[in-house]
Amino acid sequence: MAVYTDVAAEELAEFLKNYDIGELLSYKGIAEGVENSNFLLHTSKGAYILTLYEKRVAVEDLPYFLSLMAHLAARGVNCPQPATNRKGEVYSQLAGRPAAVINFLEGMWPRRPNAAHCAAVGEALAKMHLAGGDFPLHRKNPLSVSGWRPLFARAADSADSVQAGLSGFITRELDHLEAHWPADLPVGVIHADLFPDNVFFLGDRLSGLIDFPFSCNDILAYDVAICLNAWCFEADHSFNVTKARALLNAYGRTRPLSEAEQDSLPLLARGAAMRFLLTRLVDFLNVPSGALVKPKDPLEYVRKLRFQQSVANLSDYGVTPAGCVA
């Protein structure tokens, strides 16, 4: 979450007249994250999140992930729900941006995830993958392997200013990923951005998944790989095998990984690290002037990618096939 587009109080109050969510009492920007402009609203009827969709979200994709949240909730996956305006629309326009109002989900995201958090995430991700099995809409992942080289082209000339030799490192890794990316693994609805700040807990209990603008149809195990990178590294960038074991085993108890998924997981984790390295690199080099946003460190994902390049098989993640494989 972040704030790129400011919204005047008068403009927001007028916008909210189209919704039956009460009178606006207060609002504030949410500075975390890097993608869209987000505000916490307090009205006479409760708390809501207002999102103005920026950057990588196309207007034509909004029905996909707004409908997906309703679909998942109907199948027992706890996630926020979009409010409809008086015309029955789940999004409209505010400050020149597509905008949606979503109900506030109680909980806090874990600043220091432990193994129990990772297990809960693994189980929740597997349930989400199963619940999305009959979702009727389809959205191609624009940030999968075919989109990485065009994305890198936006930062290639300046990459070495972030770290010496970074351009060559990325180019060589893209060559490898494009040559070896699997084409025959199970696919379905994925979250594609399930970082700790997108998972809420009440105490030790997972209370819900949030922030679906990157959801799409892609390799299910790729979503698992994203979580390995997002949840299983420590602040000193070391890989925590205990957390990885908890996440993978919990996932596998609900949706066992096939042998092919098991074999491909290290490569998928390399790809997941590349995806976030590239988007962070582009964002780091292109922060809009005056934006209330702190760009995330792309070099964090250089370090994660180097680790994933060293992984030989599932045992390097602390698990045996019996733990998470069908």
Side-chain angles (χ1 to χ4, degrees):
M1 295 180 179
V3 175
Y4 293 93
T5 301
D6 196 16
V7 178
E10 297 81 4
E11 187 178 17
L12 177 56
E14 189 66 26
F15 172 80
L16 293 180
K17 289 180 181 179
N18 296 312
Y19 291 82
D20 186 23
I21 63 170
E23 180 183 352
L24 179 66
L25 301 178
S26 66
Y27 73 105
K28 64 177 180 179
I30 301 172
E32 294 171 325
V34 294
E35 296 301 334
N36 301 306
S37 296
N38 290 271
F39 301 85
L40 175 61
L41 312 180
H42 289 282
T43 78
S44 55
K45 290 190 176 181
Y48 299 86
I49 299 294
L50 167 69
T51 298
L52 276 62
Y53 295 100
E54 319 248 10
K55 302 182 67 175
R56 301 187 182 99
V57 178
V59 175
E60 58 267 25
D61 290 332
L62 290 175
Y64 178 94
F65 54 80
L66 292 173
S67 298
L68 176 60
M69 289 190 285
H71 178 93
L72 294 175
R75 286 152 182 78
V77 177
N78 197 17
C79 55
Q81 299 299 293
T84 56
N85 62 22
R86 301 188 192 282
K87 296 180 180 179
E89 301 165 332
V90 292
Y91 72 93
S92 53
Q93 291 282 319
L94 176 63
R97 302 286 189 273
V101 176
I102 299 171
N103 71 299
F104 182 79
L105 186 68
E106 293 290 343
M108 297 181 61
W109 66 270
R111 268 59 175 180
R112 296 183 178 180
N114 57 36
H117 292 129
C118 292
V121 167
E123 179 182 5
L125 183 65
K127 289 181 177 178
M128 194 205 90
H129 287 166
L130 294 176
D134 61 346
F135 185 58
L137 302 183
H138 186 277
R139 177 178 183 253
K140 181 181 178 181
N141 185 359
L143 293 173
S144 192
V145 60
S146 63
W148 295 338
R149 199 173 292 271
L151 185 60
F152 179 48
R154 297 169 54 189
D157 291 344
S158 302
D160 286 353
S161 69
V162 178
Q163 184 181 75
L166 182 57
S167 181
F169 172 75
I170 292 175
T171 298
R172 291 188 295 274
E173 182 65 9
L174 285 174
D175 291 342
H176 178 83
L177 292 170
E178 291 168 348
H180 296 92
W181 198 249
D184 56 354
L185 297 179
V187 300
V189 172
I190 69 170
H191 185 283
D193 193 36
L194 203 59
F195 278 63
D197 58 354
N198 288 332
V199 182
F200 281 4
F201 286 80
L202 288 171
D204 293 330
R205 179 179 64 84
L206 191 150
S207 61
L209 311 179
I210 69 167
D211 215 10
F212 284 80
F214 290 104
S215 57
C216 57
N217 295 77
D218 206 339
I219 296 171
L220 295 176
Y222 175 64
D223 222 10
V224 179
I226 290 173
C227 288
L228 280 174
N229 284 328
W231 289 83
C232 300
F233 285 85
E234 297 301 314
D236 63 359
H237 310 296
S238 62
F239 187 75
N240 188 312
V241 172
T242 302
K243 291 181 180 180
R245 182 187 302 117
L247 191 153
L248 290 172
N249 285 344
Y251 183 93
R253 284 191 291 270
T254 298
R255 181 190 170 269
L257 293 171
S258 69
E259 186 174 351
E261 288 175 309
Q262 169 200 348
D263 292 341
S264 297
L265 194 58
L267 180 68
L268 295 172
R270 287 172 68 166
M274 174 59 74
R275 176 265 193 251
F276 287 97
L277 164 57
L278 290 175
T279 50
R280 287 189 177 193
L281 181 62
V282 170
D283 290 340
F284 186 83
L285 294 170
N286 296 279
V287 177
S289 177
L292 179 57
V293 59
K294 180 180 180 181
K296 294 184 178 180
D297 180 13
L299 298 184
E300 174 187 345
Y301 268 82
V302 172
R303 292 182 282 265
K304 290 180 178 181
L305 176 52
R306 291 190 186 280
F307 169 81
Q308 299 295 1
Q309 288 174 330
S310 73
V311 174
N313 53 52
L314 206 65
S315 64
D316 290 330
Y317 296 134
V319 298
T320 61
C324 64
V325 180

